[in-house]
Amino acid sequence: MTGTFSLPASRTEVVLEEIRRGILTRELVPGQPLVEAELAARLGVSKTPVREALKVLSNSGLVTFSPYKGASVITVDAELAKSVYDVRMVLEPEAVRRTVERRDPELLEDAAEALKEASTAIADKDQAALSLLNRRFHRALYSGCGNPLLVSILDDLKDRAALISVVGWEANPSWKKEWTEHKAVLAAAKKGDADGAAALLREHIGGFLERVLKAIG
């Protein structure tokens, strides 16, 4: 998290992505205070875009605010993991089922490309890239469900889900297993097997939650 940005399209967006990356790569560790002045100095910006970025990250679930301590990186515990994955287990398989029924070849192609790039990220052990590709794969398969509100709800979980994934991967880097599971979901989707893709995805999400809960202890 160093360097000065020149002529960004949106200074707040650039700061937002840099802080998000720091959290998801564990450069900024759980419970770490996020002091506006310190972050501004490290990123070469004023405190205003940092303040705005922290507000956005609070809404997306990566940052928490305390009346006395200010902003800090959220800590993943069993309660958070269960609540996020409970919503995903209920909503995401149904969204994927509907996407498959609607048969959008562009979304399936995007999912396939994300899966291909994830294979390289696994080989390189690039956790940051893998986190983004994992998010891209899942979104490609639910974003065509035809219900913008359902897509918005699942999008709102993406940062929390990514952070929970990082916690699970630290204890058990099960990237290859998840890649294989993604491949099976995509194969079912390409065949037009909406119920099969939904069932495989539900099993995939539930299995990962079990591993995360074991990691948290």
Side-chain angles (χ1 to χ4, degrees), residues 43-66:
L43 296 172
V45 297
S46 69
K47 290 195 294 184
T48 299
V50 173
R51 185 179 304 116
E52 294 303 314
L54 292 177
K55 289 178 182 177
V56 174
L57 292 171
S58 174
N59 290 333
S60 71
L62 291 184
V63 169
T64 184
F65 279 93
S66 165

Side-chain angles (χ1 to χ4, degrees), residues 151-191:
V151 174
S152 177
I153 291 170
L154 289 169
D155 280 350
D156 285 345
L157 295 175
K158 62 187 180 183
D159 278 348
R160 294 178 180 90
L163 185 57
I164 292 166
S165 295
V166 169
V167 171
W169 290 338
E170 284 184 340
N172 180 10
S174 53
W175 304 322
K176 292 182 180 180
K177 175 178 176 58
E178 288 149 36
W179 187 91
T180 301
E181 291 171 353
H182 282 172
K183 185 178 180 181
V185 173
L186 181 59
K190 285 184 173 181
K191 289 191 299 183

